[in-house]
Amino acid sequence: MAAFLSAQYAVCLRKPGLIHFRRFAVISARYSSSRASSSADYLHQSVIPSMHYQKSLPRLPIPKLEDTIRRYLAAQKPLLDGDQFATTEKIAQDFLNSVGKELHEELVVQDKNNKHTSYISGPWFDMYLSARDSVVLNSNPFMSFNPDPKEEYNEQLVRSANMVCSAVRFMKTLRAGLLEPEVFHLNPAKSDTDSFKNFIRWVPPSLSWYGAYMVNAYPLDMSQYFRLFNSTRIPKRGGDELFGDEKGRHLLVMRKGNMYVFDVVDRDGNMVKPAEIHSHLKYILSDSTQAASFPLGILTSENRDVWAGLREKLVATGNAEALGLVDSALFCLCLDEESMRDHIHISHNMLHGDGCNRWYDKSFSIIIAKDGQAAINFEHAWGDGVAVLRFQNEVFKDTTEKPLVHPGSAPAAVDSASAVRRLQFHLDRELENGVQKAKENFDLSISKLTIDAMEFKKGGKEQLKKSKLSPDAVAQLSFQMAFLRQYGQTVATYESCSTAAFRHGRTETIRPATVHTKRCSHAFVHEPSKHSMEELRAMLNECSKYHSQLTKEAAMGQGFDRHLFALRYLAMSKGQALHSLYTDPAYAAINHNVLSTSTLTSPAVSLGGFAPVVPDGFGVGYGVHDNWIGCNVSSYPARDVHEFLQCVHKSLEDIFSVLEGKPLS
């Protein structure tokens, strides 16, 4: 159930942000009523309507406050010495028996009065939208596509045209209600079958979730999907807005910092012919216009209040119509001029690039390098990795299995010069200075970031499962061992877990640093000779068992982080003074996530990555594959990412040695 999500700052509460989506509820009706659409416009035509399960999804539970405090203290134990823990325990118990109890009761009442959503949804949107730091490095993650298996289809123009076509087909399939619902199948032999689908389609939406549950299938929340398209984060002083306008039929394309738009959907709601899309993209790639002297995209990398002021100035100087076209575009396609040298270059380019050929505020951007290497960079306020990963998987499958543009395809003989519009912006001296300053700030921030990668080839998921160990638990244990070996400490660690099994669920935190991983790491790193193979193996089993329990609890909405966050948010919204639980240095420390981790494996995805969430942290993207384990890790100057990965590799070698009965070196 764990889903890719860049780790967030634990506390970021300011003026509430606003969410503006214009009549998204009518999109599906408008698109599905268009009889002109041909089957070629759709990825597939699901027997079960896309949103069939949405109405009956279970609600995200609010944990019992006693359970939250117990879990909080269990997570604090490996991070504190005896005296510190005693102080934190006393504070937590006081919170449980006083203001915490009152806040919890109020949160429960508030939740009962808002059954259409989850208790975390509003505060979580607000956390993102009220953050004033740049979205670059602090929020937006990336996920890179694997290359097309057919080498000739990786040519930049061909791959761009196919990805645009597949993205439009995904959008149309979703809005027509024909996209297969997102379901987590525990027994696919029973639930992922034509017979079950033909049965469940007739079960009323108010009951459909229960029908799926009976065959061990868990439908996931899809409320975020409609925010994939035609949407943008708009900077506002104090708190941003999410903007959406389903009337937009055009694509935003960026090249050399210049911005272009052309329609990819016609007036009847049909996809523009692939040969025409091919022609328009060829026109843009052939355009001899020089790189933009003042590339506006760099402004989206600025501090949000600074960008809000500059945007107001842009509107005042006559750029409202052009900005509206940027905001309402289906999505952004970034055509880069550079070829990628290696995985590290890909990570840097797709996570941040040079800032000039991006519009970081779009819900997502597909970035395609000169050599056809491709990735998605997405803005995080509107949603989590679940919707983006589904989109990426479908686009990769469609472009590789059913491409609509081929290496030998001739672009349509159409007047692309008329169909494609290069956006012009009027900038005064203040705006030009703003662009230059933004570029300076951007260059300074990314100059501090280092990324490195590691592949452990001596084992993976298959061997770990045979050993009855959780693959994710072993990966997380290797990070704990590595940090202890490198820095001699156990530190606050964050692993994201999706709660999409619930209506309007977002994420919960798994806390992988436990008393079990601390004990095991100490044994492996500092005193391997003092323990027998059986003892070391028993410690691995204990770590795996406890981590699996934490993962299950988080996926079921039974972590402690979101609950404490919501209670703090409620207290602040009422203007109450915060209880000492929230001012305790231990609370600040556990939310200073030195190890911020997130995992995903997918046939479509080559790499995923994000920056550290604290200056002295690591941003750890990882995947446990059948026979190998990969890590893509970022850091700032306070940490040595190269040495950390050497320590991770050593930790995995030691763990697999024990599993094979070999003595530790």
Side-chain angles (χ1 to χ4, degrees):
M1 302 285 277
F4 183 88
L5 175 75
S6 84
Q8 298 85 15
Y9 290 106
V11 176
C12 189
L13 298 169
R14 293 185 183 87
K15 176 183 171 186
L18 300 175
I19 305 166
H20 289 319
F21 271 83
R22 296 181 182 171
R23 304 180 302 284
F24 259 97
V26 306
I27 299 173
S28 179
R30 184 166 70 84
Y31 272 80
S32 57
S33 66
S34 173
R35 296 291 174 221
S37 292
S38 70
S39 60
D41 274 13
Y42 303 124
L43 296 176
H44 52 246
Q45 297 190 40
S46 173
V47 171
I48 309 171
S50 304
M51 297 295 158
H52 189 58
Y53 298 110
Q54 196 68 27
K55 197 172 182 180
S56 56
L57 281 175
R59 301 197 63 226
L60 181 68
I62 300 176
K64 293 178 181 175
L65 187 58
E66 307 83 61
D67 290 341
T68 288
I69 296 301
R70 174 177 53 79
R71 290 170 180 140
Y72 171 66
L73 290 172
Q76 285 284 18
K77 197 148 199 175
L79 307 178
L80 303 174
D81 65 27
D83 290 344
Q84 290 169 330
F85 183 77
T87 301
T88 293
E89 185 176 35
K90 185 179 177 184
I91 291 169
Q93 291 300 332
D94 182 72
F95 179 76
L96 173 63
N97 296 317
S98 60
V99 67
K101 186 179 179 185
E102 295 164 15
L103 287 169
H104 175 79
E105 288 170 357
E106 193 170 338
L107 183 67
V108 169
V109 170
Q110 196 179 80
D111 186 54
K112 283 180 179 173
N113 292 333
N114 290 277
K115 292 185 176 178
H116 64 287
T117 188
S118 69
Y119 78 92
I120 200 61
S121 183
W124 211 243
F125 273 123
D126 190 29
M127 178 198 73
Y128 274 118
L129 294 173
S130 60
R132 299 293 83 194
D133 292 324
S134 167
V135 296
V136 183
L137 303 188
N138 296 306
S139 179
N140 290 27
F142 84 92
M143 298 188 288
S144 70
F145 285 92
N146 275 315
D148 192 302
K150 302 182 293 296
E151 184 57 42
E152 64 273 21
Y153 282 82
N154 289 308
E155 191 271 326
Q156 188 181 29
L157 174 58
V158 172
R159 197 165 204 204
S160 300
N162 278 317
M163 285 202 169
V164 169
C165 291
S166 294
V168 174
R169 278 155 55 82
F170 181 97
M171 179 272 291
K172 284 189 53 69
T173 308
L174 171 67
R175 290 182 176 176
L178 297 172
L179 188 73
E180 284 272 357
E182 187 75 11
V183 179
F184 185 72
H185 297 277
L186 280 177
N187 187 0
K190 271 192 174 182
S191 58
D192 198 11
T193 63
D194 289 342
S195 58
F196 176 74
K197 290 173 184 177
N198 282 313
F199 159 73
I200 201 70
R201 67 184 290 198
W202 298 110
V203 176
S206 58
L207 299 171
S208 56
W209 181 88
Y210 301 96
Y213 175 75
M214 296 299 286
V215 291
N216 239 351
Y218 295 87
L220 303 182
D221 180 78
M222 293 179 71
S223 62
Q224 296 173 8
Y225 279 53
F226 286 104
R227 292 189 175 122
L228 273 164
F229 299 100
N230 299 107
S231 62
T232 301
R233 177 173 174 164
I234 307 289
K236 297 284 182 180
R237 296 176 198 268
D240 293 353
E241 297 175 3
L242 292 179
F243 167 87
D245 183 359
E246 80 281 2
K247 294 191 296 295
R249 296 183 286 112
H250 58 283
L251 173 71
L252 171 66
V253 183
M254 298 188 72
R255 178 170 175 259
K256 296 183 182 178
N258 296 306
M259 288 186 260
Y260 307 81
V261 293
F262 65 84
D263 286 352
V264 289
V265 176
D266 67 22
R267 294 180 188 279
D268 295 321
N270 301 310
M271 183 173 76
V272 169
K273 291 175 182 174
E276 292 183 25
I277 292 172
H278 185 192
S279 175
H280 300 338
L281 290 173
K282 184 178 182 182
Y283 173 82
I284 292 170
L285 282 167
S286 305
D287 186 15
S288 60
T289 302
Q290 294 296 305
S293 301
F294 297 96
L296 278 197
I298 195 71
L299 295 181
T300 64
S301 74
E302 259 290 11
N303 169 281
R304 302 307 293 178
D305 283 335
V306 172
W307 171 209
L310 290 167
R311 184 182 167 102
E312 288 169 4
K313 181 74 174 170
L314 275 168
V315 171
T317 50
N319 297 292
E321 190 254 350
L323 283 170
L325 288 169
V326 171
D327 298 337
S328 60
L330 260 78
F331 63 94
C332 180
L333 173 69
C334 304
L335 299 173
D336 285 356
E337 292 295 288
E338 224 179 342
S339 292
M340 300 292 98
R341 295 184 299 275
D342 51 32
H343 286 325
I344 307 305
H345 190 195
I346 290 171
S347 292
H348 278 290
N349 190 62
M350 305 312 187
L351 181 61
H352 55 76
D354 69 359
C356 298
N357 205 47
R358 303 285 183 271
W359 198 268
Y360 298 106
D361 289 352
K362 283 303 285 180
S363 53
F364 73 91
S365 297
I366 295 179
I367 304 163
I368 304 187
K370 194 78 173 171
D371 57 359
Q373 290 284 353
I376 290 175
N377 180 295
F378 68 97
E379 197 283 312
H380 225 323
W382 65 270
D384 305 314
V386 176
V388 180
L389 184 58
R390 172 71 185 277
F391 170 75
Q392 187 157 3
N393 286 339
E394 295 283 4
V395 166
F396 183 76
K397 185 173 189 287
D398 196 50
T399 55
T400 54
E401 295 180 6
K402 294 182 285 185
L404 296 176
V405 174
H406 308 280
S409 298
V414 292
D415 185 7
S416 289
S418 299
V420 177
R421 174 182 167 189
R422 183 163 62 87
L423 299 182
Q424 304 282 357
F425 292 90
H426 309 290
L427 307 184
D428 60 14
R429 175 54 59 190
E430 182 186 345
L431 286 166
E432 288 178 352
N433 289 339
V435 169
Q436 289 174 331
K437 182 64 177 169
K439 178 63 172 160
E440 290 168 13
N441 292 339
F442 177 89
D443 288 344
L444 180 63
S445 66
I446 67 163
S447 70
K448 299 172 184 174
L449 186 76
T450 303
I451 300 176
D452 199 4
M454 181 276 300
E455 291 183 357
F456 177 80
K457 298 285 197 178
K458 298 178 183 177
K461 192 185 298 182
E462 287 182 2
Q463 188 175 344
L464 293 171
K465 285 191 170 180
K466 281 179 190 170
S467 301
K468 297 185 177 175
L469 293 176
S470 155
D472 190 61
V474 169
Q476 287 289 344
L477 177 60
S478 75
F479 307 148
Q480 295 299 314
M481 285 185 188
F483 200 89
L484 182 68
R485 185 182 298 277
Q486 188 178 9
Y487 294 106
Q489 286 178 281
T490 295
V491 290
T493 308
Y494 178 113
E495 179 184 357
S496 58
C497 179
S498 172
T499 51
F502 301 96
R503 189 185 311 158
H504 292 192
R506 294 291 307 240
T507 61
E508 182 53 270
T509 308
I510 302 167
R511 291 292 183 171
T514 68
V515 291
H516 306 289
T517 62
K518 188 174 185 178
R519 187 184 308 125
C520 186
S521 297
H522 185 78
F524 271 72
V525 173
H526 292 313
E527 46 186 37
S529 59
K530 291 185 181 178
H531 299 276
S532 67
M533 278 289 164
E534 291 73 22
E535 287 171 337
L536 292 173
R537 179 60 204 263
M539 289 184 203
L540 292 177
N541 289 342
E542 193 59 42
C543 290
S544 175
K545 183 180 171 186
Y546 191 66
H547 185 81
S548 296
Q549 177 190 327
L550 292 179
T551 302
K552 184 178 178 182
E553 287 174 354
M556 298 309 293
Q558 294 294 325
F560 68 83
D561 281 85
R562 300 299 175 268
H563 189 194
L564 289 180
F565 175 87
L567 295 175
R568 183 186 192 278
Y569 183 90
L570 179 60
M572 291 187 73
S573 68
K574 295 171 64 179
Q576 284 185 6
L578 288 176
H579 185 272
S580 54
L581 178 129
Y582 294 110
T583 56
D584 179 10
Y587 182 80
I590 202 171
N591 287 302
H592 184 88
N593 290 301
V594 174
L595 286 170
S596 177
T597 73
S598 192
T599 184
L600 86 161
T601 52
S602 156
V605 178
S606 167
L607 284 169
F610 50 93
V613 298
V614 292
D616 59 338
F618 289 114
V620 184
Y622 66 101
V624 184
H625 304 270
D626 287 344
N627 297 297
W628 63 284
I629 298 169
C631 296
N632 198 36
V633 184
S634 61
S635 74
Y636 293 120
R639 300 289 180 191
D640 184 339
V641 68
H642 311 298
E643 186 183 3
F644 175 72
L645 283 172
Q646 289 170 3
C647 292
V648 171
H649 198 278
K650 166 67 174 162
S651 300
L652 289 169
E653 282 185 337
D654 286 353
I655 291 167
F656 277 84
S657 290
V658 167
L659 296 181
E660 292 161 9
K662 297 174 185 173
L664 298 184
S665 55

